Amino acid sequence: MMLLDAQISFLDFVQSQFVQFLNYTSFANFTIGHIIMILIGCIFIFLGIKKEYEPLLLVPIGFGMLIGNIPFFPGLKIGIYEDGSVLHYLYHGVQNGWYPPLIFLGIGAMTDFSALLSNPKLMWIGAAAQFGIFAAYTAALALGFAPNEAGAIGIIGGADGPTAIFISSQLAPELMGAIAVSAYSYMALVPVIQPPIMRLLTTKKERVIRMKPPRQVSKTEKIIFPIIGLLLTCMIVPSGIPLLGMLFFGNLLKESGVTKRLATEASNSIINIATILIGLTVGCSTQATTFLTAKSIGIFFLGAFSFVIATTVGILFVKLMNLFLKEGSKINPLIGNSGVSAVPDSARVSNSVGMEYDKTNYLLMHAMGPNVSGVIGSAVAAGILLAFLK
């Protein structure tokens, strides 16, 4: 009898341990939301690998979504929102805005501003495209978002992921995951979203406009530009110093000719590491329990609205400029889309759409002017929003 009781007790113990084990597995904690987010993560990975839409961003974000949506028993200190977990500490770089300035340092070290310097009026196209930011800000206010939330949402219109993360970390940290995913999604979908708008807003005659070849920019001009650029922009919007300061510093490292080793590290190791960490942790932050909300869905649609407005205004602004330019100096409106700061994808789209109508009309170098101007413009716009809303 005692032996039978011992066997029953042992079986009860094994059963209770097995039930406890099951409670700790993901299967016991799965929800439909987790399945939805895992599917979205798989779509991001597919678009990054198969379609090559911004793979350096979509693959880390997509895989981060998979990691962040594997359900677990609370208190194990493994989730991105749990104090003491490794992911939580890595996420500090996003929450506190450490990674975006490092990415801007790398962007500056990789960017050649010659196209902009050779034709400075292209700067106004990049400035005009930032209208999408303020249009989305106004729309978000109209939909009931608080001013600080609307400001963070609006920056999606600049198609600049690092800037979107930086400003949302300052203005609306609780919305950072949705804002970051929206911003990077629309950056990746530039080749899908922009061409139909470009064709709709331009005529066949405008699409084949040939622009004058860019003039040769001297080394002195390239060295002076980041210094003057820093002083002018940051004097106007000091709140943009973390982004603009690192952007122009990286560019000076590149153009000085005497800090090649530093420029190489900034444009390779530093930006690559920051991109991996920012992509993975942003993806992990999209846990279904915190991400799938009405606000997140609203942000995604507002992001699309702002991106469409930015592209539209950039193209229409070029058409307006052409009314005042002499024949032979006119600008091809197809480069108006590149005023958003999705570098260099939006400039490539300008070139590819242009070549559909004239295979010998190369617009890439011309489009890089407003494209790099858009990078500066989105950082300036972010600084303006921070000055008013923080």
Side-chain angles (χ1 to χ4, degrees):
M1 188 70 178
M2 292 180 61
L3 179 61
L4 181 62
D5 289 342
Q7 289 175 335
I8 293 172
S9 296
F10 176 73
L11 290 174
D12 288 341
F13 172 75
V14 171
Q15 183 179 7
S16 66
Q17 291 296 301
F18 183 70
V19 170
Q20 184 175 354
F21 167 74
L22 287 179
N23 288 334
Y24 272 85
T25 66
S26 295
F27 302 105
N29 298 282
F30 248 114
T31 66
I32 186 66
H34 291 110
I35 296 174
I36 291 171
M37 292 309 302
I38 287 175
L39 289 175
I40 293 173
C42 290
I43 291 171
F44 271 46
I45 294 172
F46 170 80
L47 292 175
I49 296 175
K50 181 67 175 179
K51 299 295 185 179
E52 295 188 17
Y53 292 164
E54 291 284 356
L56 300 181
L57 299 173
L58 290 194
V59 172
I61 292 174
F63 200 81
M65 286 180 172
L66 302 186
I67 294 174
N69 285 283
I70 296 175
F72 55 86
F73 193 84
L76 296 178
K77 293 186 177 182
I78 56 175
I80 198 166
Y81 296 113
E82 290 191 312
D83 288 337
S85 76
V86 174
L87 287 174
H88 181 71
Y89 290 125
L90 292 176
Y91 194 50
H92 281 322
V94 174
Q95 289 178 310
N96 296 296
W98 299 338
Y99 300 145
L102 293 177
I103 290 178
F104 263 68
L105 174 67
I107 291 173
M110 291 190 293
T111 302
D112 185 351
F113 287 98
S114 296
L116 179 61
L117 293 173
S118 67
N119 193 358
K121 64 176 174 286
L122 297 179
M123 172 185 65
W124 297 109
I125 303 172
Q130 306 314 311
F131 184 80
I133 293 174
F134 297 100
Y137 170 70
T138 305
L141 287 177
L143 290 175
F145 285 92
N148 62 312
E149 294 176 334
I153 293 167
I155 207 70
I156 298 172
D160 188 337
T163 301
I165 289 174
F166 180 78
I167 195 170
S168 59
S169 72
Q170 305 295 311
L171 296 179
E174 71 281 2
L175 301 180
M176 188 185 306
I179 290 171
V181 169
S182 295
Y184 280 120
S185 296
Y186 295 122
M187 284 176 65
L189 293 174
V190 160
V192 177
I193 297 173
Q194 288 194 323
I197 301 172
M198 296 161 67
R199 296 186 188 102
L200 178 66
L201 297 177
T202 57
T203 65
K204 289 184 178 180
K205 183 179 178 181
E206 289 174 328
R207 294 172 201 147
V208 294
I209 290 176
R210 286 182 174 270
M211 298 175 63
K212 291 181 179 179
R215 70 172 178 84
Q216 190 71 28
V217 178
S218 69
K219 182 178 179 179
T220 302
E221 288 178 279
K222 292 182 179 182
I223 293 174
I224 293 175
F225 175 74
I227 298 171
I228 300 298
L230 171 71
L231 296 176
L232 286 179
T233 57
C234 292
M235 288 288 187
I236 297 171
V237 281
S239 50
I241 288 175
L243 299 179
L244 292 167
M246 295 297 269
L247 176 72
F248 288 122
F249 175 53
N251 190 244
L252 182 62
L253 292 178
K254 173 183 181 294
E255 302 297 354
S256 68
V258 295
T259 52
K260 184 177 180 180
R261 193 172 72 184
L262 300 182
T264 299
E265 289 303 311
S267 61
N268 286 283
S269 302
I270 292 177
I271 193 172
N272 288 340
I273 291 171
T275 299
I276 290 171
L277 294 177
I278 205 170
L280 189 68
T281 53
V282 162
C284 289
S285 72
T286 62
Q287 288 183 4
T289 50
T290 59
F291 184 80
L292 286 179
T293 64
K295 276 190 173 181
S296 295
I297 296 171
I299 288 168
F300 201 77
F301 282 106
L302 281 169
F305 168 75
S306 64
F307 192 70
V308 169
I309 293 295
T311 303
T312 301
V313 172
I315 295 168
L316 293 179
F317 186 77
V318 175
K319 291 165 74 79
L320 177 64
M321 289 177 68
N322 281 343
L323 296 177
F324 303 94
L325 295 174
K326 296 178 181 179
E327 201 65 40
S329 299
K330 294 187 182 295
I331 300 170
N332 191 313
L334 289 178
I335 73 170
N337 75 296
S338 61
V340 298
S341 62
V343 180
D345 279 7
S346 54
R348 288 174 181 161
V349 169
S350 304
N351 189 63
S352 63
V353 174
M355 291 185 69
E356 290 176 10
Y357 301 92
D358 183 351
K359 294 189 180 297
T360 62
N361 191 11
Y362 299 100
L363 296 173
L364 183 60
M365 288 307 298
H366 300 292
M368 283 303 296
N371 208 183
V372 297
S373 176
V375 176
I376 300 171
S378 64
V380 170
I384 292 171
L385 290 171
L386 284 175
F388 281 100
L389 300 174
K390 187 173 181 181

